[in-house]
Structure formats: structure tokens, C-alpha cells
């Protein structure tokens, strides 16, 4: 048990809400599980008697499943994603959901493609039994909301109905939030502005690390006013990284100074500069060659290559055209795509490509389970035969020279899966051309470009997301660890509005926000290394600054 764990237990005993900032490799999830274990000791009997549960809300399904496993599937704990938790809270209030959707729609920016005419929406909702939360996409006129809408609608519900906060607080006297830094500001406001105002108020525990905030919609660091509502606890142990890597991490951030806390290797952390490298040269090979020439050692064992800009990895994995389609879309579309969070990319990955993979592997039961999620019934022998033929053709198509649109059209015609609304509309050809330069026109252009890309590009992208290749992006490795890590810094493929690695290493930037975002990415990637860390920079390097960060014997320029 660490000092941070002891402070968490004190907060639980004293019914004080808290925030734990845990540096990389510090065992944040272990502390969360220990806190849950602590509650099911002395508190369990009373909670069960009162019909109460402990809520633990997470950012991803992967994290949810890990916590469920580590708490032995104990029914006392309701572990769910943020979206599922909020929908579970507001779903019973059917009468109040329609006015909330109307309010949410009215508050959307005028340029939002989701926004509906207020009078038309009000009239349409009169014929809708209830507002529903659907994986297919949003259609406000049918009373259907999607991921991006749920958080806003939930916020309106909690803001408009104080009784809702009292109901949720009474049901969940303890609420833990995993990876708080990646949580949307709307969720933070629901928890701290509304639930914390309930009587009796719940104990809310935030677990995470503000410096590992890498998603554009995440709150990052809580404001001073919000932190004042909580007991702040720092977790400074590092069980993962080598001592050399910990030394780098402690220079990248100053709010937490980590110490080796386990069987940490001595390790190595070096910087190599590859400015002027020919564009046709393999950057990984060039970096490893310079390591051999300068330092006289080889990488032994596992090596993970991390690209902090997605264009290089897209080019290397052969899906640059798909990447460009999202890059040209503007806004945070590229960020969501490379994080695997874009709704269309998620559907293609979790449904279409996964069905293909499972069918190819002969996993009939797993394939049928995925199809059943979309309501596919295989009750009759004829339907089983039709589905088998459709799946065989789908798998064969995906191996050939077909487009994403052709694959989806086959899925649509054979009714293997229910498509997202955006895909259904694009494939049907029924959408009227939008007014030029409007958000809807830009969306239609993107959809046409996306559907025309080769399907193999998406399969390659999916393989990167699943870590089936020896390289990854910053989002793909968060929470992971590898024996040796090579981090490639290349501003040529970066979004200059969001990141500048050259400015980070130089210690200057005209934007403090961009400098912080870039620092966070760099920190996340460097902190994956258990032994050796190589930072390869394709850009101008300042020897003095790099020696200050890595040491004079660990710099090759």
C-alpha cells in the first residue's frame, strides 16, 4: 500500500471527495481497485441493505472490462462507460427527455449539421413515444440521440431537474471516475456542479493524470475552483519505466517527481537527430543505424515504434489516402480518426472488419453474436444459408480490389448489419445536394471520398489500432508498456494548430496551449518504455538543450 492509497482510504472514511493525479506507471488502476476493495469491506453490508451500489465510470470498454475482472465481477460495483452511466441515469425520465432534447437542440451552434429547425423538431417529437439513445446515429426528428448528443442532453437534464441529482446520489453514494482527464467538461459539470449539490451528496473520486490528457474533448486539468472542491492526492511511484526513462519524465513535467518503486531496470534514454534525412529512407532503420554508429549497442527484444504524427504511420501502413480524407475534413476529425473514436471508423472496425476477421478465422459463434447485436435473426435454415453465402462473399470482397462503399453496399443489400444513418444516407443516393460551403456540403464531400477509398486501406488502419503492427500512434498505446520504445518526432506531418514538437524541444511556442498538448503527447509516449527509450527527431536539434534533457553522453546530432 502506498501513501497515496492511505490518503484515499482516509477520504473514504471521512466522506471527502478527492482527485488522485497519478504519474505514468504509478499503478493508478491498482489504487482504484484497492479503493473499491476497501468499500466492499466495512461498507458493503449497509450499501446492500439500502439497495445502493458503487458506480465506477470509465473512458473505454477495455478499461471497464479490466476493472470488472479485477473486482471479481462483484455486483456491488456498477462499472460502465461514461455514456452508459449517464443514459442509465436519465433514461427512466421519459417525459422530461423531450424538452431536454429541444433545449439541447436550441443551444447547438447555428453551423452544426445536427441542429434542426426548432418548430419542426417540437412538432416531430409529439409523435415520438420517447427519446432513445442509439448506436446507429442521431436523428432528432425521430427522437434518436447519439454519443456526441448524450452528454449535452444529460447536462440539460441535470441542470433542469435537481431531483435527478438527488435520485442518482441516493443510488450511488460512491462514484469513481477513471481517466478523469479525458472526461468531457459536460460530465465534470454534471458531477461537480449538480451531483455534488445533492443532499446527501455522494463521494466522488477522480483517478487519472492531467499530463496524460491527449484527447481533444477531454477536460485535462481541472480548474482551481473545481480542485478546491476536492482533496488533491499525488501518486509519485513508477513501477514500469527504467531509471533512465524516469529521469527524462521528471524533466518533462515538474508537478510530479517520480521515483522507481519496483524492479526498475537501469535502462537507457537517448536522443538522435535525423534532420535532412531523405524522404525515401526508412526512419526506423536510420534511427537504429545511428544508435549503432554513435553508441555501439543494438536493440534486443521487443521494440515498439511510436509516431506522434499520423501521416508517417499511415504512409508506412498503406492507408495514407484514408488518412487524407479525414485530414481534409478539418476540425478534430483527424484526431478522432487516429484515436479510433470517429463514429464511422468505429463502426467499420468493431462491426464490419471484425465480422470479416471472425468469419475468416472460422469463429462462427463469435460472428453470429456480432450479427445478433444488429438484430440479425438466423431462425430458419434458408436464412442461415443466405447469411453464410453473404459472409463468404463479404470475406472474399475484402481481400480484393474493392472500395469501402462496395463493401458497405453488400452489407446493406444482404442486411447483415444495420448501418449507421450517415452510411445509409450516403449509400442510398437519396440525399439532396447541400448548399455549397455549408457543414452539410462538407460532410457530403467527405462521405463520397471515404466510400471511394480502397477497403484494404481501412483494414490496414484497423490493424494499427489493434497493435497488430510493430508501430503505433500516441493514442494506440496509452496504458500500454513495451520493453523498448522508439518515438519518432516529425513536424512535417503534424497539425500545426495543435502540435509542434520542434517548439517543444526548443522550449518555445507562441501558444501555451499547443505547447502543453505537445508536451502531453511526448510524455505519454516516452513513459511506455520499460528499458530503452530512443527519441528520433526529424528536424533541427539544439545540442545544448538536448544534452540538458538526455545527458551529454546520450545525444547524437
Amino acid at each position: 500500500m502506498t501513501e497515496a492509497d492511505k490518503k484515499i482510504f482516509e477520504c473514504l472514511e471521512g466522506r471527502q471527495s478527492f482527485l488522485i493525479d497519478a504519474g505514468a506507471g504509478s499503478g493508478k488502476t491498482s489504487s482504484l481497485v484497492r479503493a473499491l476493495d476497501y468499500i466492499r469491506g466495512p461498507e458493503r453490508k449497509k450499501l446492500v441493505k439500502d439497495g445502493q451500489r458503487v458506480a465506477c465510470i470509465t473512458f473505454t470498454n477495455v478499461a471497464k472490462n479490466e476493472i470488472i475482472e479485477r473486482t471479481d465481477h462483484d455486483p456491488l460495483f456498477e462499472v460502465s462507460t461514461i455514456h452508459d452511466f449517464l443514459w442509465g441515469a436519465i433514461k427512466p425520465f421519459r417525459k422530461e427527455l423531450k424538452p431536454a432534447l429541444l433545449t439541447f437542440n436550441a443551444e447547438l451552434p447555428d453551423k452544426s449539421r445536427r441542429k434542426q429547425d426548432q418548430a419542426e423538431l417540437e412538432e416531430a417529437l409529439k409523435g415520438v413515444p420517447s427519446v432513445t439513445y442509439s448506436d446507429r446515429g442521431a436523428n432528432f426528428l425521430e427522437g434518436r440521440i447519439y454519443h456526441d448528443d448524450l452528454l449535452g442532453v444529460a447536462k440539460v437534464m441535470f441542470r433542469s431537474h435537481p431531483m435527478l441529482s438527488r435520485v442518482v446520489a441516493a443510488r450511488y453514494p460512491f462514484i469513481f471516475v477513471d481517466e478523469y482527464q479525458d472526461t468531457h467538461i459536460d460530465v465534470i459539470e454534471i458531477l461537480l456542479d449538480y451531483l455534488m449539490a445533492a443532499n446527501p451528496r455522494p463521494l466522488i473520486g477522480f483517478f487519472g493524470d492531467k499530463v496524460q490528457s491527449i484527447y481533444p474533448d477531454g477536460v485535462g486539468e481541472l480548474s482551481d475552483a473545481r480542485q478546491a472542491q476536492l482533496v488533491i492526492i499525488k501518486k509519485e511511484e513508477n513501477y514500469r519505466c527504467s531509471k533512465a526513462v524516469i529521469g527524462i519524465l521528471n524533466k518533462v513535467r515538474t508537478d510530479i517527481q517520480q521515483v522507481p518503486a519496483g524492479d526498475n531496470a537501469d535502462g537507457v534514454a537517448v536522443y538522435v537527430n535525423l534532420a535532412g534525412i531523405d524522404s525515401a529512407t526508412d526512419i526506423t532503420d536510420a534511427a537504429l543505424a545511428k544508435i549503432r554508429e554513435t553508441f555501439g549497442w543494438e536493440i534486443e527484444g521487443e521494440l515498439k515504434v511510436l509516431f506522434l504524427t499520423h501521416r508517417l504511420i499511415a504512409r508506412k501502413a498503406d492507408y495514407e489516402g484514408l488518412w487524407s480524407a479525414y485530414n481534409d475534413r478539418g476540425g478534430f476529425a483527424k484526431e478522432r480518426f487516429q484515436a479510433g473514436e470517429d463514429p464511422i471508423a468505429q463502426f467499420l472496425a468493431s462491426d464490419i472488419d471484425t465480422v470479416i476477421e471472425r468469419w475468416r478465422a472460422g469463429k462462427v459463434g463469435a460472428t453470429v453474436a456480432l450479427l445478433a447485436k444488429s438484430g440479425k435473426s438466423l431462425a430458419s435454415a434458408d436464412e442461415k444459408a443466405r447469411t453464410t453465402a453473404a459472409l463468404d462473399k463479404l470475406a472474399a470482397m475484402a481481400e480484393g480490389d474493392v472500395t469501402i462503399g462496395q463493401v458497405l453496399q453488400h452489407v446493406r443489400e444482404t442486411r447483415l448489419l444495420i448501418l449507421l444513418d450517415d452510411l445509409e444516407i450516403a449509400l442510398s443516393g437519396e440525399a439532396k445536394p447541400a448548399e455549397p460551403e455549408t457543414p452539410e456540403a462538407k460532410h457530403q464531400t467527405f462521405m463520397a471520398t471515404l466510400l471511394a477509398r480502397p477497403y484494404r486501406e481501412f483494414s490496414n488502419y484497423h490493424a494499427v489500432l489493434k497493435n497488430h503492427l510493430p508501430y503505433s500512434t500516441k493514442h494506440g498505446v496509452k496504458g500500454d508498456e513495451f520493453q523498448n520504445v522508439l518515438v519518432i518526432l516529425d513536424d512535417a506531418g503534424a497539425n500545426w494548430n495543435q502540435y509542434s514538437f520542434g517548439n517543444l524541444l526548443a522550449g518555445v511556442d507562441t501558444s501555451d496551449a499547443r505547447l502543453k498538448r505537445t508536451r502531453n503527447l511526448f510524455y505519454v509516449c516516452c513513459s511506455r518504455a520499460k528499458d530503452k527509450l530512443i527519441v528520433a527527431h526529424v528536424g533541427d536539434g539544439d545540442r545544448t538543450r538536448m544534452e540538458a534533457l538526455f545527458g551529454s553522453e546520450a545525444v547524437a546530432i
Side-chain angles (χ1 to χ4, degrees):
M1 182 188 300
T2 68
E3 285 300 314
D5 293 327
K6 293 177 183 177
K7 292 178 181 178
I8 293 172
F9 294 165
E10 290 173 3
C11 288
L12 294 176
E13 290 176 359
R15 289 296 193 273
Q16 292 180 290
S17 293
F18 61 88
L19 180 150
I20 178 163
D21 251 333
S26 63
K28 177 265 301 175
T29 303
S30 294
S31 288
L32 190 156
V33 171
R34 287 191 195 102
L36 292 171
D37 284 339
Y38 184 85
I39 291 172
R40 64 176 167 180
E43 299 285 348
R44 185 187 190 90
K45 187 174 181 179
K46 182 178 186 305
L47 291 171
V48 171
K49 178 177 177 292
D50 294 340
Q52 296 174 313
R53 300 182 73 189
V54 177
C56 182
I57 56 180
T58 71
F59 194 67
T60 66
N61 279 307
V62 172
K64 179 190 78 173
N65 293 333
E66 180 185 355
I67 294 169
I68 290 173
E69 287 295 325
R70 292 178 65 172
T71 53
D72 308 314
H73 296 257
D74 191 328
L76 178 66
F77 306 131
E78 185 170 314
V79 188
S80 62
T81 63
I82 293 166
H83 287 78
D84 287 344
F85 174 78
L86 290 177
W87 179 241
I90 66 175
K91 180 182 178 180
F93 301 92
R94 298 175 61 178
K95 180 181 177 182
E96 291 80 6
L97 274 170
K98 288 184 183 180
L101 178 54
L102 283 166
T103 300
F104 174 71
N105 182 71
E107 294 176 353
L108 283 172
D110 290 338
K111 292 185 178 180
S112 172
R113 61 178 294 267
R114 293 182 291 160
K115 187 163 187 169
Q116 303 295 315
D117 177 81
Q118 196 70 3
E120 183 181 357
L121 177 59
E122 185 171 3
E123 185 63 28
L125 288 178
K126 292 178 182 178
V128 173
S130 63
V131 173
T132 58
Y133 171 47
S134 169
D135 286 337
R136 289 174 52 198
N139 189 324
F140 292 178
L141 298 177
E142 295 180 3
R144 198 165 69 240
I145 60 175
Y146 193 43
H147 299 306
D148 291 342
D149 317 308
L150 174 58
L151 303 185
V153 172
K155 179 181 171 182
V156 172
M157 287 284 288
F158 277 92
R159 184 180 71 200
S160 305
H161 305 287
M163 177 60 74
L164 176 59
S165 293
R166 293 197 288 272
V167 169
V168 174
R171 186 183 305 159
Y172 305 106
F174 298 91
I175 302 174
F176 290 166
V177 183
D178 188 30
E179 302 289 6
Y180 79 84
Q181 74 280 354
D182 293 326
T183 304
H184 194 281
I185 183 61
D186 285 349
V187 180
I188 299 298
E189 290 181 6
I190 289 171
L191 294 170
L192 295 183
D193 292 348
Y194 305 123
L195 279 174
M196 285 278 278
N199 185 20
R201 68 173 58 183
L203 183 154
I204 301 178
F206 294 93
F207 294 76
D209 179 9
K210 59 181 175 290
V211 177
Q212 293 189 67
S213 172
I214 60 176
Y215 294 103
D217 293 335
V219 68
E221 184 174 7
L222 298 189
S223 66
D224 290 343
R226 297 197 184 283
Q227 289 191 46
Q229 297 176 260
L230 308 164
V231 175
I232 307 301
I233 303 170
K234 292 184 179 181
K235 200 166 194 293
E236 299 180 322
E237 301 82 12
N238 188 315
Y239 296 93
R240 173 197 302 146
C241 301
S242 63
K243 296 171 185 176
V245 173
I246 292 173
I248 300 298
L249 301 181
N250 284 340
K251 293 177 182 177
V252 173
R253 70 185 299 179
T254 57
D255 62 308
I256 290 179
Q257 290 295 288
Q258 291 190 301
V259 295
D263 188 19
N264 305 68
D266 290 332
V268 175
V270 299
Y271 168 90
V272 297
N273 188 271
L274 301 175
I277 187 174
D278 188 277
S279 59
T281 303
D282 186 289
I283 294 178
T284 301
D285 291 343
L288 296 179
K290 196 159 188 175
I291 290 292
R292 285 192 295 271
E293 295 167 7
T294 308
F295 305 111
W297 47 264
E298 301 269 3
I299 288 286
E300 296 179 357
E302 177 189 36
L303 174 66
K304 191 72 171 181
V305 183
L306 308 182
F307 293 83
L308 269 66
T309 55
H310 207 120
R311 172 171 283 164
L312 284 175
I313 193 170
R315 185 177 302 156
K316 197 173 183 72
D318 191 23
Y319 61 89
E320 190 171 12
L322 181 64
W323 178 90
S324 295
Y326 275 93
N327 185 57
D328 294 342
R329 195 177 182 186
F332 283 122
K334 185 178 73 170
E335 279 292 302
R336 297 185 74 179
F337 169 68
Q338 63 190 49
E341 295 174 349
D342 172 76
I344 293 175
Q346 278 187 332
F347 173 77
L348 287 168
S350 63
D351 290 67
I352 305 292
D353 212 48
T354 302
V355 161
I356 293 170
E357 289 177 349
R358 290 182 177 179
W359 188 250
R360 283 175 180 164
K363 298 178 179 179
V364 178
T367 305
V368 171
L370 271 178
L371 298 181
K373 266 178 46 181
S374 284
K376 184 73 173 177
S377 174
L378 301 178
S380 70
D382 286 346
E383 185 59 31
K384 290 178 182 177
R386 283 193 294 269
T387 301
T388 297
L391 287 167
D392 286 341
K393 184 176 179 180
L394 178 63
M397 288 178 70
E399 290 181 347
D401 188 18
V402 295
T403 65
I404 291 173
Q406 287 173 311
V407 167
L408 289 170
Q409 189 70 301
H410 173 71
V411 171
R412 180 173 181 260
E413 291 172 353
T414 56
R415 300 181 181 179
L416 281 173
L417 296 162
I418 297 176
L419 302 183
L420 298 180
D421 285 354
D422 280 341
L423 295 174
E424 183 69 36
I425 292 168
L427 289 168
S428 69
E430 297 174 358
K432 296 179 181 179
E435 290 293 326
E437 302 303 317
T438 62
E440 188 60 36
K442 292 178 180 178
H443 176 73
Q444 289 179 358
T445 298
F446 164 74
M447 291 302 299
T449 304
L450 175 68
L451 297 184
R453 297 309 310 166
Y455 187 79
R456 60 174 169 74
E457 289 190 5
F458 186 83
S459 291
N460 293 338
Y461 159 76
H462 192 199
V464 169
L465 283 185
K466 295 180 298 181
N467 289 327
H468 285 183
L469 298 175
Y471 35 79
S472 186
T473 62
K474 58 189 179 290
H475 300 90
V477 297
K478 191 173 179 189
D480 284 340
E481 56 186 41
F482 309 98
Q483 183 179 352
N484 305 298
V485 171
L486 168 58
V487 179
I488 306 290
L489 306 182
D490 178 20
D491 278 328
N495 181 336
W496 280 91
N497 291 324
Q498 300 298 317
Y499 312 108
S500 175
F501 307 108
N503 287 348
L504 171 72
L505 295 179
V508 296
D509 200 309
T510 55
S511 167
D512 288 339
R514 179 171 58 204
L515 192 63
K516 182 183 291 186
R517 280 192 296 269
T518 311
R519 184 274 312 267
N520 290 358
L521 303 186
F522 185 64
Y523 179 85
V524 167
C525 286
C526 291
S527 61
R528 303 306 100 192
K530 297 168 63 177
D531 188 0
K532 293 181 174 64
L533 168 67
I534 304 166
V535 175
H537 181 204
V538 185
D540 295 333
D542 184 308
R543 176 177 287 277
T544 301
R545 288 192 60 83
M546 293 304 95
E547 288 183 350
L549 181 58
F550 288 87
S552 59
E553 302 300 318
V555 172
I557 293 182

